[in-house]
Amino acid sequence: MYRSRGRSRNRGMLYVLAFHVASEFCQLDRKPPVTAGLIAANTLVYLRPGVLDDLLPSLDEVCFHPYLVLKNKDLKRLFLSAFYHLDESHLVYNMLSLLWKGIQLERMMGSTEFASMVAVLLGLSHGIVVVTAKVLATFFDYPYPLTSECAVGFSAVLFALEVVLNSSSPNLTNVYGGVVVPARYASWAELLLIQTFVPGVSVIGHLSGIFAGILYLRFRRFFSRSNPLPPIIRKLTWIIGWPLRFFQGQFIGYRRPTFGHGTVGGRVPGAARNVNAVWRCPRCTFDNNIYLDTCEMCGTRHGDVDFSVLARRFSPSAPAGSSDYLSLEELRRLRLERFNV
């Protein structure tokens, strides 16, 4: 999180970001959509291509100023400031950090839980900044963070994500390739190094990110079952994805996930469009092609079995010598004959 000092722009480092994102995502079987969306959103806000330049507010209108947030109840500064960056190096550094942390957390937690966590950490870290600035100005006669700082950047959330990622890790880690510390203390080491060697950063913003991560972990232990955000996000995702599912069901004729021969759950959109449709023999449970009238395993005709007989078959009191009952030995013999073993 940088204090706003104006904005410079060049294009060289964006190619580095694009290369790293492409190389990382190409190696993944399952792409993390929330991480990709966050990187894309931050990059688009910085580049402001085409009509976005007219739609998006300027950096001065959204930079995180605690005094203006309190005085004007300006919530857009509380949330939108995280997606703005001063220059290309600021953007690329934060997005590379988000790429590394986001991929790991989203794969471990799932996209919905990860999205809800990012939303909570964003509001929590920036809220802590406002409270801290107000306390410093009121009780310690230090008004600078409240009245003079106007910060932007995703750094506070990144520090919180690092706390969550390393919270239970017993390993050691390198901070900036040289300082080896226990992983759970990596965020504190990074905070000290950044404040020492990088001028113009907001120490309160970064520190609030660390505290937000710690508080999130504490709250999660006690309120994990009452967190309302994941169900809301799942519902929104379902609503947004409805047109795609409708198109897919009408024109593509998709199959639900299958295990073995059968289709698990739901309808099959037309037998003529799905040559892999099956019917399961109620006597031996073998899955046969929908175009076969007779079970390949036991010879039972499709639709000939009385379900009342099946109910007796699976009943604990079913007689072992019943003619409609296939013993394990008979089923084994039929399968051996079927496969010519």
Side-chain angles (χ1 to χ4, degrees):
M1 180 176 285
Y2 276 75
R3 293 192 290 267
S4 178
R5 302 185 303 268
R7 180 169 180 166
S8 61
R9 178 180 291 188
N10 51 65
R11 289 286 187 266
M13 294 187 67
L14 286 179
Y15 296 108
V16 177
L17 174 62
F19 172 77
H20 278 278
V21 171
S23 61
E24 287 290 338
F25 274 66
C26 286
Q27 297 175 26
L28 299 174
D29 294 331
R30 178 181 174 273
K31 319 301 181 189
V34 177
T35 301
L38 288 172
I39 294 174
N42 279 271
T43 305
L44 287 174
V45 168
Y46 176 79
L47 293 176
R48 306 172 71 93
V51 69
L52 286 181
D53 193 28
D54 298 324
L55 294 177
L56 293 174
S58 66
L59 186 143
D60 291 333
E61 293 175 326
V62 300
C63 68
F64 185 37
H65 196 296
Y67 177 74
L68 295 179
V69 171
L70 291 174
K71 180 183 177 181
N72 302 328
K73 296 181 174 57
D74 194 353
L75 294 182
K76 74 174 183 295
R77 293 182 181 272
L78 193 68
F79 295 102
L80 294 184
S81 59
F83 296 91
Y84 282 70
H85 293 81
L86 284 178
D87 51 41
E88 194 168 296
S89 61
H90 186 203
L91 171 72
V92 171
Y93 175 81
N94 278 355
M95 293 303 100
L96 290 178
S97 180
L98 174 61
L99 178 68
W100 178 69
K101 296 164 186 170
I103 287 177
Q104 297 183 73
L105 286 170
E106 188 170 354
R107 295 181 70 183
M108 289 189 298
M109 304 174 66
S111 297
T112 304
E113 293 289 340
F114 178 69
S116 68
M117 181 182 69
V118 170
V120 170
L121 292 178
L122 174 56
L124 191 58
S125 59
H126 286 190
I128 293 174
V129 172
V130 174
V131 173
T132 303
K134 183 64 175 178
V135 169
L136 290 176
T138 304
F139 297 102
F140 297 93
D141 194 24
Y142 183 60
Y144 180 82
L146 180 67
T147 60
S148 302
E149 285 196 358
C150 198
V152 293
F154 213 73
S155 304
V157 180
L158 293 175
F159 271 92
L161 292 177
E162 185 169 16
V163 172
V164 175
L165 179 63
N166 296 324
S167 59
S168 58
S169 175
N171 301 323
L172 298 175
T173 186
N174 285 323
V175 179
Y176 295 114
V179 181
V180 180
V181 295
R184 65 182 63 184
Y185 302 121
S187 56
W188 295 100
E190 186 174 351
L191 173 67
L192 293 176
L193 289 174
I194 289 178
Q195 296 305 134
T196 302
F197 297 105
V198 181
V201 297
S202 174
V203 60
I204 293 181
H206 292 173
L207 191 61
S208 297
I210 294 177
F211 286 141
I214 295 173
L215 287 175
Y216 175 82
L217 292 172
R218 299 284 184 181
F219 290 154
R220 190 178 180 186
R221 294 175 185 174
F222 297 102
F223 303 107
S224 58
R225 295 184 179 180
S226 59
N227 184 3
L229 283 179
I232 294 174
I233 293 176
R234 290 190 191 98
K235 189 65 175 179
L236 290 175
T237 303
W238 186 88
I239 294 173
I240 294 172
W242 181 85
L244 178 61
R245 292 194 301 273
F246 177 80
F247 175 83
Q248 195 177 32
Q250 293 296 319
F251 301 104
I252 299 179
Y254 68 98
R255 289 184 67 206
R256 294 181 181 270
T258 58
F259 301 90
H261 294 82
T263 302
V264 180
R267 62 181 178 87
V268 178
R273 289 181 292 175
N274 189 358
V275 297
N276 295 317
V278 297
W279 63 275
R280 176 163 293 182
C281 176
R283 172 165 293 187
C284 68
T285 72
F286 185 76
D287 289 334
N288 301 275
N289 190 282
I290 193 67
Y291 297 108
L292 295 179
D293 295 328
T294 306
C295 176
E296 291 185 283
M297 181 64 68
C298 65
T300 301
R301 290 185 59 82
H302 186 28
D304 281 357
V305 176
D306 185 359
F307 285 95
S308 63
V309 175
L310 289 178
R312 292 195 302 272
R313 168 191 160 187
F314 287 103
S315 172
S317 59
S322 172
S323 60
D324 293 303
Y325 182 83
L326 286 179
S327 66
L328 291 177
E329 184 61 32
E330 289 173 325
L331 183 61
R332 179 175 177 274
R333 179 180 57 79
L334 289 171
R335 288 178 176 173
L336 291 176
E337 293 176 357
R338 166 71 179 81
F339 294 105
N340 298 320
V341 177

